[in-house]
Amino acid sequence: MSDACGCAHDEPGVDNGDEHAEHWWQVSEIRAAMVAAVLLAGAVVASLVDGPRYIELGLQVGALIIAGYTFAPATVRRLAQGKIGVGTLMTIAAVGAVLLGEVGEAAMLAFLFAISEGLEEYAVTRTRRGLRALLSLVPETATVRRGDREIVVSPAELGVGDTMIVKPGERLATDGTITIGQTALDTSAITGESVPVEAGPGTEVFAGSINGTGVLEVMITAAAQDNSLAKIVRIVEAEQSRKGQAQRLADKIAQPLVPSVMVAAALIAAVGSVLGDPRIWIERALVVLVAASPCALAIAIPVTVVAAIGAASKLGVLIKGGAALEALGRIRTVALDKTGTLTRNQPSVVEIATTGGVSRTEVLTVAAALEARSEHPLARAILAAATDPVKSADKVEAVTGAGLAGSLDGRPVRLGRPGWIESGALADDIDRMQRAGATAVLIERDGTTIGAIAVRDELRPEAPAVVAGLHRDGYSVAMLTGDNTRTATALAEQAGINNVHADLRPEDKARIINTLRAHQPTAMVGDGVNDAPALATADLGIAMGAMGTDVAIETADVALMGEDLRHLPTALTHARRSRAIMLQNVALSLAIITVLMPLALFGVLGLAAVVLVHEIAEIAVIGNGVRAGRTARLQPPGTSTTDRPRAKTRT
């Protein structure tokens, strides 16, 4: 939210009760606007049936007070601090209208502004709630060694240098370095990668990661308040605050307009009173204030936003408010996370290499037998590739950080990483698999290596076409991932991306986003908790909603609710067109003000004429804004993206 908008919830430390609002109608500004709307409707009915004037006036005054209370008091406080914006101009216009007897006009201004502020507050509230989901990644307790005893404590009681004991399946309560033990560590909460990482003595581990099969002893390197997840929260809060303080388009317009109008009105009243009839010139000064009131400007952007966001939702794109829509229309650089965004986040077997005359089916059968009871992502990929009924191996044992060993039909078998099992004749195949971006495991029977299986999280089929379309439309595209450089580079080449950043932690992604946005407005597209800092740091965060975490969806400004990446260019094109319509509406609104002010100053137009022109302008603005609700639907899979309509306006 802008500092200048003049709303109570903008002030630090003010609790307006909207923090826990689950639905838009629970936001105080929107509730107030709804009540004001009912009162205004009652006033219109009273006027149509020629009811008593005091009833109509009373209803208008009630609507003005209720809607105006959502922004006028805070606007006055901010004005005292030297802060001005749309709220300031709205308040002045409403006061001027009341002084001239146009209470209904003042009430309508207050109603429109309360609605627009309430919708934006709802989007901000949703973002704040999303941060709470991060806290669930830290366990409520942790086991720590104190002397010769192992005791259970709260994560807040852990200190740097303590030894934390982490059992299989437990989450790490804070960051540290493994001193004893080996495991396959699920770091998806930190890196976003679906394939667990082999970890052993000397490996740096992070809060929120899930331990695999081995018991670990971890020397703590960061207190709970300084661990990886705490850093994520701080980055998100700081960057969301930065976005909230960034002035919106309407406020940027209001900043020079408000003081100019105030000075002009004061000069008209003062100079006119000296040179002529004070009553006439004071009245003209008030008419000038009403002429400069942002009637059309107040709805120029909201009506376009409502139409555009409604149309986007039908396309499977959730846009969280007008500020997000404006930002989406300005984007020129798109940074994409790899796992779950460019890829399916569903590892699958992509190749099976064999040696010694063994068939691919035999290799897959042995591997599936060993993985039959495993929940490892690689196991699921191998089992999914097995076409024959799987027979479980006997006496299967997990060798921490290495693989599995057991027996099948009385013959010893093993499956594991290169190094634990010798590659032998398959060394070149293993190297090729890894260069292609796959995770390779070797299979051994009777002490002899018989084959290798490559598992890879494949690109979404539409990814190359989407990236090509973005490049064609003038966007710069980058990939940000926590995966290793070899895998990231291989997949980026397939997608057509040259700017690749790999081996990244969440704070690294945020840092790179800051670098990118220093050159051009930048959007970050991601789907996991690890992407939250980058989503918040970017000028615009875009979440892959269907498979994204709650944190990613809540932190982002835009969510692609389906798994089709083609929604991304569709959303960008739609937003650029909508932003162009916003600018058209703003230009029309300012043109009306520019024409009316001198006409009001010289008495050419009286108050009634000024109000009439404002109403006509509002109708024109509404009609133009509704055009933002027209958009083409996403084409069926397989349709060439070259046929997709391009944005007509580049800004």
Side-chain angles (χ1 to χ4, degrees), residues 108 112 295-296 298-304 307 581 585 588-589 614-630:
M108 181 59 69
L112 292 172
C295 301
I299 61 173
I301 293 178
V303 72
T304 309
I581 292 175
N585 275 350
L588 176 60
S589 303
H614 272 306
E615 297 302 324
I616 294 174
E618 289 172 18
I619 293 173
V621 163
I622 291 173
N624 190 45
V626 167
R627 294 194 304 116
R630 303 172 188 170

PDB file of all heavy atoms in Angstrom, residues 108 112 295-296 298-304 307 581 585 588-589 614-630:
ATOM      1  N   MET A 108     -20.371   9.881  -3.044  1.00  0.00           N
ATOM      2  CA  MET A 108     -20.001   8.966  -4.122  1.00  0.00           C
ATOM      3  C   MET A 108     -18.487   8.867  -4.249  1.00  0.00           C
ATOM      4  O   MET A 108     -17.931   7.778  -4.447  1.00  0.00           O
ATOM      5  CB  MET A 108     -20.607   9.441  -5.442  1.00  0.00           C
ATOM      6  CG  MET A 108     -20.289   8.524  -6.629  1.00  0.00           C
ATOM      7  SD  MET A 108     -20.874   6.820  -6.381  1.00  0.00           S
ATOM      8  CE  MET A 108     -22.648   7.081  -6.448  1.00  0.00           C
ATOM      9  N   LEU A 112     -16.375   5.284  -3.784  1.00  0.00           N
ATOM     10  CA  LEU A 112     -15.484   4.718  -4.801  1.00  0.00           C
ATOM     11  C   LEU A 112     -14.079   4.492  -4.248  1.00  0.00           C
ATOM     12  O   LEU A 112     -13.447   3.463  -4.497  1.00  0.00           O
ATOM     13  CB  LEU A 112     -15.425   5.645  -6.019  1.00  0.00           C
ATOM     14  CG  LEU A 112     -16.708   5.766  -6.850  1.00  0.00           C
ATOM     15  CD1 LEU A 112     -16.557   6.869  -7.887  1.00  0.00           C
ATOM     16  CD2 LEU A 112     -17.020   4.437  -7.525  1.00  0.00           C
ATOM     17  N   CYS A 295     -12.965  12.524  -9.800  1.00  0.00           N
ATOM     18  CA  CYS A 295     -14.113  11.628  -9.949  1.00  0.00           C
ATOM     19  C   CYS A 295     -13.780  10.488 -10.908  1.00  0.00           C
ATOM     20  O   CYS A 295     -13.892   9.315 -10.575  1.00  0.00           O
ATOM     21  CB  CYS A 295     -15.317  12.406 -10.469  1.00  0.00           C
ATOM     22  SG  CYS A 295     -15.826  13.775  -9.421  1.00  0.00           S
ATOM     23  N   ALA A 296     -13.391  10.868 -12.128  1.00  0.00           N
ATOM     24  CA  ALA A 296     -13.052   9.840 -13.115  1.00  0.00           C
ATOM     25  C   ALA A 296     -11.758   9.132 -12.738  1.00  0.00           C
ATOM     26  O   ALA A 296     -11.615   7.923 -12.926  1.00  0.00           O
ATOM     27  CB  ALA A 296     -12.933  10.471 -14.500  1.00  0.00           C
ATOM     28  N   ALA A 298     -10.695   8.483  -9.837  1.00  0.00           N
ATOM     29  CA  ALA A 298     -10.944   7.542  -8.742  1.00  0.00           C
ATOM     30  C   ALA A 298     -11.375   6.174  -9.245  1.00  0.00           C
ATOM     31  O   ALA A 298     -11.094   5.150  -8.623  1.00  0.00           O
ATOM     32  CB  ALA A 298     -12.006   8.109  -7.804  1.00  0.00           C
ATOM     33  N   ILE A 299     -12.073   6.169 -10.389  1.00  0.00           N
ATOM     34  CA  ILE A 299     -12.537   4.875 -10.912  1.00  0.00           C
ATOM     35  C   ILE A 299     -11.794   4.457 -12.171  1.00  0.00           C
ATOM     36  O   ILE A 299     -12.000   3.351 -12.675  1.00  0.00           O
ATOM     37  CB  ILE A 299     -14.053   4.920 -11.216  1.00  0.00           C
ATOM     38  CG1 ILE A 299     -14.355   5.985 -12.267  1.00  0.00           C
ATOM     39  CG2 ILE A 299     -14.848   5.137  -9.957  1.00  0.00           C
ATOM     40  CD1 ILE A 299     -15.790   5.979 -12.737  1.00  0.00           C
ATOM     41  N   ALA A 300     -10.922   5.336 -12.684  1.00  0.00           N
ATOM     42  CA  ALA A 300     -10.201   5.035 -13.921  1.00  0.00           C
ATOM     43  C   ALA A 300      -9.442   3.722 -13.819  1.00  0.00           C
ATOM     44  O   ALA A 300      -9.487   2.874 -14.712  1.00  0.00           O
ATOM     45  CB  ALA A 300      -9.240   6.178 -14.258  1.00  0.00           C
ATOM     46  N   ILE A 301      -8.728   3.556 -12.702  1.00  0.00           N
ATOM     47  CA  ILE A 301      -7.943   2.338 -12.523  1.00  0.00           C
ATOM     48  C   ILE A 301      -8.779   1.214 -11.915  1.00  0.00           C
ATOM     49  O   ILE A 301      -8.755   0.091 -12.420  1.00  0.00           O
ATOM     50  CB  ILE A 301      -6.691   2.632 -11.680  1.00  0.00           C
ATOM     51  CG1 ILE A 301      -5.751   3.544 -12.485  1.00  0.00           C
ATOM     52  CG2 ILE A 301      -5.972   1.339 -11.300  1.00  0.00           C
ATOM     53  CD1 ILE A 301      -4.505   3.951 -11.773  1.00  0.00           C
ATOM     54  N   PRO A 302      -9.565   1.464 -10.835  1.00  0.00           N
ATOM     55  CA  PRO A 302     -10.343   0.359 -10.253  1.00  0.00           C
ATOM     56  C   PRO A 302     -11.249  -0.372 -11.232  1.00  0.00           C
ATOM     57  O   PRO A 302     -11.321  -1.598 -11.220  1.00  0.00           O
ATOM     58  CB  PRO A 302     -11.149   1.049  -9.146  1.00  0.00           C
ATOM     59  CG  PRO A 302     -10.299   2.203  -8.735  1.00  0.00           C
ATOM     60  CD  PRO A 302      -9.662   2.673  -9.999  1.00  0.00           C
ATOM     61  N   VAL A 303     -11.955   0.358 -12.106  1.00  0.00           N
ATOM     62  CA  VAL A 303     -12.871  -0.324 -13.019  1.00  0.00           C
ATOM     63  C   VAL A 303     -12.098  -1.177 -14.023  1.00  0.00           C
ATOM     64  O   VAL A 303     -12.524  -2.278 -14.391  1.00  0.00           O
ATOM     65  CB  VAL A 303     -13.779   0.695 -13.754  1.00  0.00           C
ATOM     66  CG1 VAL A 303     -13.009   1.487 -14.802  1.00  0.00           C
ATOM     67  CG2 VAL A 303     -14.953  -0.015 -14.395  1.00  0.00           C
ATOM     68  N   THR A 304     -10.938  -0.702 -14.444  1.00  0.00           N
ATOM     69  CA  THR A 304     -10.101  -1.487 -15.351  1.00  0.00           C
ATOM     70  C   THR A 304      -9.550  -2.706 -14.636  1.00  0.00           C
ATOM     71  O   THR A 304      -9.497  -3.810 -15.198  1.00  0.00           O
ATOM     72  CB  THR A 304      -8.934  -0.629 -15.881  1.00  0.00           C
ATOM     73  OG1 THR A 304      -9.444   0.590 -16.409  1.00  0.00           O
ATOM     74  CG2 THR A 304      -8.176  -1.367 -16.970  1.00  0.00           C
ATOM     75  N   ALA A 307     -12.291  -5.413 -14.203  1.00  0.00           N
ATOM     76  CA  ALA A 307     -12.549  -6.096 -15.471  1.00  0.00           C
ATOM     77  C   ALA A 307     -11.388  -7.005 -15.857  1.00  0.00           C
ATOM     78  O   ALA A 307     -11.587  -8.158 -16.275  1.00  0.00           O
ATOM     79  CB  ALA A 307     -12.802  -5.067 -16.572  1.00  0.00           C
ATOM     80  N   ILE A 581      -4.912   0.433 -21.139  1.00  0.00           N
ATOM     81  CA  ILE A 581      -6.260   0.978 -20.928  1.00  0.00           C
ATOM     82  C   ILE A 581      -6.278   1.859 -19.689  1.00  0.00           C
ATOM     83  O   ILE A 581      -6.924   2.914 -19.664  1.00  0.00           O
ATOM     84  CB  ILE A 581      -7.280  -0.172 -20.816  1.00  0.00           C
ATOM     85  CG1 ILE A 581      -7.411  -0.881 -22.165  1.00  0.00           C
ATOM     86  CG2 ILE A 581      -8.639   0.349 -20.354  1.00  0.00           C
ATOM     87  CD1 ILE A 581      -8.295  -2.110 -22.137  1.00  0.00           C
ATOM     88  N   ASN A 585      -7.380   5.786 -19.494  1.00  0.00           N
ATOM     89  CA  ASN A 585      -8.374   6.329 -18.562  1.00  0.00           C
ATOM     90  C   ASN A 585      -7.812   7.469 -17.731  1.00  0.00           C
ATOM     91  O   ASN A 585      -8.485   8.472 -17.476  1.00  0.00           O
ATOM     92  CB  ASN A 585      -8.891   5.212 -17.650  1.00  0.00           C
ATOM     93  CG  ASN A 585     -10.019   4.435 -18.285  1.00  0.00           C
ATOM     94  OD1 ASN A 585     -10.550   4.825 -19.319  1.00  0.00           O
ATOM     95  ND2 ASN A 585     -10.396   3.322 -17.679  1.00  0.00           N
ATOM     96  N   LEU A 588      -7.580  10.552 -19.893  1.00  0.00           N
ATOM     97  CA  LEU A 588      -8.895  11.174 -20.064  1.00  0.00           C
ATOM     98  C   LEU A 588      -9.306  11.925 -18.801  1.00  0.00           C
ATOM     99  O   LEU A 588      -9.817  13.054 -18.869  1.00  0.00           O
ATOM    100  CB  LEU A 588      -9.929  10.101 -20.400  1.00  0.00           C
ATOM    101  CG  LEU A 588     -11.390  10.574 -20.512  1.00  0.00           C
ATOM    102  CD1 LEU A 588     -11.525  11.628 -21.600  1.00  0.00           C
ATOM    103  CD2 LEU A 588     -12.316   9.390 -20.776  1.00  0.00           C
ATOM    104  N   SER A 589      -9.066  11.310 -17.646  1.00  0.00           N
ATOM    105  CA  SER A 589      -9.431  11.937 -16.374  1.00  0.00           C
ATOM    106  C   SER A 589      -8.687  13.252 -16.174  1.00  0.00           C
ATOM    107  O   SER A 589      -9.271  14.264 -15.757  1.00  0.00           O
ATOM    108  CB  SER A 589      -9.118  10.979 -15.215  1.00  0.00           C
ATOM    109  OG  SER A 589      -9.788   9.749 -15.387  1.00  0.00           O
ATOM    110  N   HIS A 614     -18.354  15.799 -15.034  1.00  0.00           N
ATOM    111  CA  HIS A 614     -17.700  14.727 -14.293  1.00  0.00           C
ATOM    112  C   HIS A 614     -18.450  13.398 -14.475  1.00  0.00           C
ATOM    113  O   HIS A 614     -17.839  12.344 -14.663  1.00  0.00           O
ATOM    114  CB  HIS A 614     -17.625  15.075 -12.801  1.00  0.00           C
ATOM    115  CG  HIS A 614     -16.399  15.853 -12.429  1.00  0.00           C
ATOM    116  ND1 HIS A 614     -15.129  15.423 -12.732  1.00  0.00           N
ATOM    117  CD2 HIS A 614     -16.247  17.039 -11.772  1.00  0.00           C
ATOM    118  CE1 HIS A 614     -14.250  16.296 -12.279  1.00  0.00           C
ATOM    119  NE2 HIS A 614     -14.901  17.300 -11.690  1.00  0.00           N
ATOM    120  N   GLU A 615     -19.770  13.454 -14.426  1.00  0.00           N
ATOM    121  CA  GLU A 615     -20.553  12.223 -14.557  1.00  0.00           C
ATOM    122  C   GLU A 615     -20.396  11.613 -15.947  1.00  0.00           C
ATOM    123  O   GLU A 615     -20.273  10.396 -16.104  1.00  0.00           O
ATOM    124  CB  GLU A 615     -22.043  12.510 -14.276  1.00  0.00           C
ATOM    125  CG  GLU A 615     -22.335  12.983 -12.862  1.00  0.00           C
ATOM    126  CD  GLU A 615     -21.885  11.983 -11.822  1.00  0.00           C
ATOM    127  OE1 GLU A 615     -21.983  10.767 -12.073  1.00  0.00           O
ATOM    128  OE2 GLU A 615     -21.424  12.408 -10.746  1.00  0.00           O
ATOM    129  N   ILE A 616     -20.391  12.476 -16.985  1.00  0.00           N
ATOM    130  CA  ILE A 616     -20.202  11.983 -18.358  1.00  0.00           C
ATOM    131  C   ILE A 616     -18.819  11.347 -18.500  1.00  0.00           C
ATOM    132  O   ILE A 616     -18.653  10.297 -19.133  1.00  0.00           O
ATOM    133  CB  ILE A 616     -20.379  13.139 -19.366  1.00  0.00           C
ATOM    134  CG1 ILE A 616     -21.833  13.631 -19.348  1.00  0.00           C
ATOM    135  CG2 ILE A 616     -19.989  12.689 -20.772  1.00  0.00           C
ATOM    136  CD1 ILE A 616     -22.069  14.868 -20.203  1.00  0.00           C
ATOM    137  N   ALA A 617     -17.820  11.994 -17.891  1.00  0.00           N
ATOM    138  CA  ALA A 617     -16.454  11.452 -17.951  1.00  0.00           C
ATOM    139  C   ALA A 617     -16.379  10.094 -17.265  1.00  0.00           C
ATOM    140  O   ALA A 617     -15.686   9.184 -17.735  1.00  0.00           O
ATOM    141  CB  ALA A 617     -15.475  12.431 -17.300  1.00  0.00           C
ATOM    142  N   GLU A 618     -17.093   9.959 -16.155  1.00  0.00           N
ATOM    143  CA  GLU A 618     -17.094   8.678 -15.445  1.00  0.00           C
ATOM    144  C   GLU A 618     -17.670   7.566 -16.315  1.00  0.00           C
ATOM    145  O   GLU A 618     -17.147   6.449 -16.345  1.00  0.00           O
ATOM    146  CB  GLU A 618     -17.901   8.810 -14.151  1.00  0.00           C
ATOM    147  CG  GLU A 618     -17.218   9.655 -13.091  1.00  0.00           C
ATOM    148  CD  GLU A 618     -18.132   9.933 -11.902  1.00  0.00           C
ATOM    149  OE1 GLU A 618     -19.131   9.204 -11.751  1.00  0.00           O
ATOM    150  OE2 GLU A 618     -17.858  10.874 -11.154  1.00  0.00           O
ATOM    151  N   ILE A 619     -18.749   7.890 -17.052  1.00  0.00           N
ATOM    152  CA  ILE A 619     -19.353   6.888 -17.936  1.00  0.00           C
ATOM    153  C   ILE A 619     -18.362   6.478 -19.030  1.00  0.00           C
ATOM    154  O   ILE A 619     -18.211   5.294 -19.354  1.00  0.00           O
ATOM    155  CB  ILE A 619     -20.650   7.441 -18.562  1.00  0.00           C
ATOM    156  CG1 ILE A 619     -21.708   7.640 -17.469  1.00  0.00           C
ATOM    157  CG2 ILE A 619     -21.172   6.496 -19.644  1.00  0.00           C
ATOM    158  CD1 ILE A 619     -22.973   8.336 -17.962  1.00  0.00           C
ATOM    159  N   ALA A 620     -17.647   7.470 -19.591  1.00  0.00           N
ATOM    160  CA  ALA A 620     -16.666   7.179 -20.636  1.00  0.00           C
ATOM    161  C   ALA A 620     -15.532   6.306 -20.096  1.00  0.00           C
ATOM    162  O   ALA A 620     -15.071   5.360 -20.749  1.00  0.00           O
ATOM    163  CB  ALA A 620     -16.114   8.485 -21.207  1.00  0.00           C
ATOM    164  N   VAL A 621     -15.078   6.633 -18.896  1.00  0.00           N
ATOM    165  CA  VAL A 621     -13.997   5.876 -18.283  1.00  0.00           C
ATOM    166  C   VAL A 621     -14.429   4.441 -17.997  1.00  0.00           C
ATOM    167  O   VAL A 621     -13.692   3.482 -18.235  1.00  0.00           O
ATOM    168  CB  VAL A 621     -13.531   6.573 -16.987  1.00  0.00           C
ATOM    169  CG1 VAL A 621     -12.709   5.624 -16.120  1.00  0.00           C
ATOM    170  CG2 VAL A 621     -12.700   7.801 -17.329  1.00  0.00           C
ATOM    171  N   ILE A 622     -15.642   4.280 -17.486  1.00  0.00           N
ATOM    172  CA  ILE A 622     -16.155   2.940 -17.194  1.00  0.00           C
ATOM    173  C   ILE A 622     -16.248   2.111 -18.480  1.00  0.00           C
ATOM    174  O   ILE A 622     -15.834   0.954 -18.536  1.00  0.00           O
ATOM    175  CB  ILE A 622     -17.532   3.018 -16.506  1.00  0.00           C
ATOM    176  CG1 ILE A 622     -17.379   3.589 -15.096  1.00  0.00           C
ATOM    177  CG2 ILE A 622     -18.189   1.636 -16.453  1.00  0.00           C
ATOM    178  CD1 ILE A 622     -18.693   3.868 -14.402  1.00  0.00           C
ATOM    179  N   GLY A 623     -16.785   2.741 -19.553  1.00  0.00           N
ATOM    180  CA  GLY A 623     -16.909   2.025 -20.820  1.00  0.00           C
ATOM    181  C   GLY A 623     -15.566   1.579 -21.361  1.00  0.00           C
ATOM    182  O   GLY A 623     -15.423   0.465 -21.874  1.00  0.00           O
ATOM    183  N   ASN A 624     -14.572   2.452 -21.235  1.00  0.00           N
ATOM    184  CA  ASN A 624     -13.239   2.081 -21.715  1.00  0.00           C
ATOM    185  C   ASN A 624     -12.611   1.007 -20.829  1.00  0.00           C
ATOM    186  O   ASN A 624     -11.980   0.065 -21.317  1.00  0.00           O
ATOM    187  CB  ASN A 624     -12.336   3.319 -21.746  1.00  0.00           C
ATOM    188  CG  ASN A 624     -11.023   3.055 -22.470  1.00  0.00           C
ATOM    189  OD1 ASN A 624     -11.005   2.457 -23.532  1.00  0.00           O
ATOM    190  ND2 ASN A 624      -9.925   3.512 -21.886  1.00  0.00           N
ATOM    191  N   GLY A 625     -12.815   1.133 -19.516  1.00  0.00           N
ATOM    192  CA  GLY A 625     -12.225   0.162 -18.601  1.00  0.00           C
ATOM    193  C   GLY A 625     -12.772  -1.237 -18.778  1.00  0.00           C
ATOM    194  O   GLY A 625     -12.057  -2.227 -18.607  1.00  0.00           O
ATOM    195  N   VAL A 626     -14.052  -1.322 -19.151  1.00  0.00           N
ATOM    196  CA  VAL A 626     -14.673  -2.636 -19.345  1.00  0.00           C
ATOM    197  C   VAL A 626     -13.976  -3.421 -20.456  1.00  0.00           C
ATOM    198  O   VAL A 626     -13.983  -4.645 -20.466  1.00  0.00           O
ATOM    199  CB  VAL A 626     -16.182  -2.458 -19.648  1.00  0.00           C
ATOM    200  CG1 VAL A 626     -16.804  -3.749 -20.162  1.00  0.00           C
ATOM    201  CG2 VAL A 626     -16.904  -2.011 -18.380  1.00  0.00           C
ATOM    202  N   ARG A 627     -13.339  -2.702 -21.386  1.00  0.00           N
ATOM    203  CA  ARG A 627     -12.640  -3.393 -22.482  1.00  0.00           C
ATOM    204  C   ARG A 627     -11.534  -4.304 -21.966  1.00  0.00           C
ATOM    205  O   ARG A 627     -11.144  -5.257 -22.636  1.00  0.00           O
ATOM    206  CB  ARG A 627     -12.032  -2.382 -23.447  1.00  0.00           C
ATOM    207  CG  ARG A 627     -13.036  -1.545 -24.201  1.00  0.00           C
ATOM    208  CD  ARG A 627     -12.388  -0.815 -25.365  1.00  0.00           C
ATOM    209  NE  ARG A 627     -11.265   0.017 -24.954  1.00  0.00           N
ATOM    210  CZ  ARG A 627     -10.006  -0.199 -25.338  1.00  0.00           C
ATOM    211  NH1 ARG A 627      -9.698  -1.220 -26.111  1.00  0.00           N
ATOM    212  NH2 ARG A 627      -9.041   0.620 -24.930  1.00  0.00           N
ATOM    213  N   ALA A 628     -11.027  -4.019 -20.767  1.00  0.00           N
ATOM    214  CA  ALA A 628      -9.972  -4.870 -20.209  1.00  0.00           C
ATOM    215  C   ALA A 628     -10.476  -6.264 -19.884  1.00  0.00           C
ATOM    216  O   ALA A 628      -9.682  -7.176 -19.641  1.00  0.00           O
ATOM    217  CB  ALA A 628      -9.387  -4.221 -18.953  1.00  0.00           C
ATOM    218  N   GLY A 629     -11.790  -6.432 -19.862  1.00  0.00           N
ATOM    219  CA  GLY A 629     -12.356  -7.747 -19.589  1.00  0.00           C
ATOM    220  C   GLY A 629     -12.434  -8.634 -20.807  1.00  0.00           C
ATOM    221  O   GLY A 629     -12.837  -9.797 -20.711  1.00  0.00           O
ATOM    222  N   ARG A 630     -12.030  -8.113 -21.963  1.00  0.00           N
ATOM    223  CA  ARG A 630     -12.051  -8.913 -23.184  1.00  0.00           C
ATOM    224  C   ARG A 630     -10.668  -9.483 -23.435  1.00  0.00           C
ATOM    225  O   ARG A 630      -9.696  -8.748 -23.532  1.00  0.00           O
ATOM    226  CB  ARG A 630     -12.469  -8.056 -24.377  1.00  0.00           C
ATOM    227  CG  ARG A 630     -13.825  -7.386 -24.216  1.00  0.00           C
ATOM    228  CD  ARG A 630     -14.067  -6.407 -25.337  1.00  0.00           C
ATOM    229  NE  ARG A 630     -15.280  -5.618 -25.103  1.00  0.00           N
ATOM    230  CZ  ARG A 630     -15.619  -4.553 -25.826  1.00  0.00           C
ATOM    231  NH1 ARG A 630     -14.828  -4.148 -26.805  1.00  0.00           N
ATOM    232  NH2 ARG A 630     -16.727  -3.896 -25.555  1.00  0.00           N
TER     233      ARG A 630
END
